[in-house]
Amino acid sequence: MTLDAVLKQCAGSSVEIVVDSHKCALVPKEMFSADNCARHLADMAIRVASTECVVCSEPVDGIVAVMAADSVAVESIRSAATAVRFTSPLLMGKSLERGTYLHLSEGVLYTRIYDATLRFAEAVEATTDGDIHFLLESLHRIYGIYNMNACARGDVERLKRVTKGLFRTIEFEA
């Protein structure tokens, strides 16, 4: 969707914007500092470009997403809408008791791994199927994710192709 289309859609209303970017870090609410959000990204070695600003989500299950987003787009949306909330695909979808949650969108693979609690969450650029496969293999070596159930959303056709036969079971959401 173009920025103009987004601006027309959010004019005069309260909106929630999903920031689709690999420049995202999850921060426990207790450790979150609204005064210096950029520091949270820097702590994760995520560089904010001069054309970007840092936005934050509301806490979800005690976690805040801190994200770099295009400054012009953020300012345009803030001036058009009455209220703006930001979120990340890392916070979306159901939590699992034990398993892996995958969301592929716009060349970014969002991965969450649960084992009684959230053990791992990361947004990684994944422009090729090889990138996705490499990331999953690396995570399997550490967390044994192929022995878990998985849930996937976003570009499910691509995820079906890349994950075929890897997980014990995988559920694809629309």
Side-chain angles (χ1 to χ4, degrees):
M1 184 180 284
T2 68
L3 180 57
D4 288 336
V6 170
L7 293 175
K8 284 179 186 174
Q9 203 170 30
C10 70
S13 62
S14 177
V15 296
E16 180 174 60
I17 302 296
V18 178
V19 179
D20 205 350
S21 171
H22 68 283
K23 293 184 176 185
C24 178
L26 297 185
V27 180
K29 181 181 171 184
E30 306 80 43
M31 299 179 75
F32 175 72
S33 169
D35 296 332
N36 195 358
C37 292
R39 187 195 87 230
H40 294 298
L41 292 177
D43 289 347
M44 297 293 296
I46 298 172
R47 185 180 164 282
V48 179
S50 62
T51 59
E52 297 173 323
C53 64
V54 179
V55 296
C56 304
S57 73
E58 294 294 318
V60 175
D61 296 331
I63 299 171
V64 176
V66 180
M67 305 149 284
D70 182 88
S71 298
V72 172
V74 168
E75 187 56 40
S76 298
I77 291 168
R78 282 185 171 151
S79 65
T82 57
V84 181
R85 294 178 321 279
F86 295 94
T87 192
S88 166
L90 276 178
L91 295 177
M92 298 167 63
K94 61 185 174 186
S95 296
L96 305 171
E97 178 61 31
R98 184 171 190 271
T100 304
Y101 194 87
L102 305 170
H103 181 121
L104 181 62
S105 177
E106 300 296 322
V108 179
L109 181 62
Y110 301 89
T111 308
R112 296 189 321 253
I113 300 171
Y114 296 89
D115 193 358
T117 189
L118 182 64
R119 299 288 182 197
F120 176 87
E122 189 78 41
V124 177
E125 281 186 293
T127 54
T128 69
D129 291 354
D131 295 336
I132 297 168
H133 195 67
F134 176 79
L135 177 63
L136 295 177
E137 285 292 323
S138 299
L139 292 173
H140 175 65
R141 278 187 245 120
I142 297 166
Y143 298 101
I145 63 172
Y146 296 158
N147 300 321
M148 300 177 176
N149 296 327
C151 185
R153 70 185 304 186
D155 188 350
V156 294
E157 292 306 314
R158 188 167 169 207
L159 286 172
K160 281 179 185 178
R161 186 177 65 247
V162 175
T163 62
K164 187 175 183 177
L166 296 180
F167 290 94
R168 181 186 311 163
T169 62
I170 187 164
E171 174 187 332
F172 295 95
E173 297 179 350

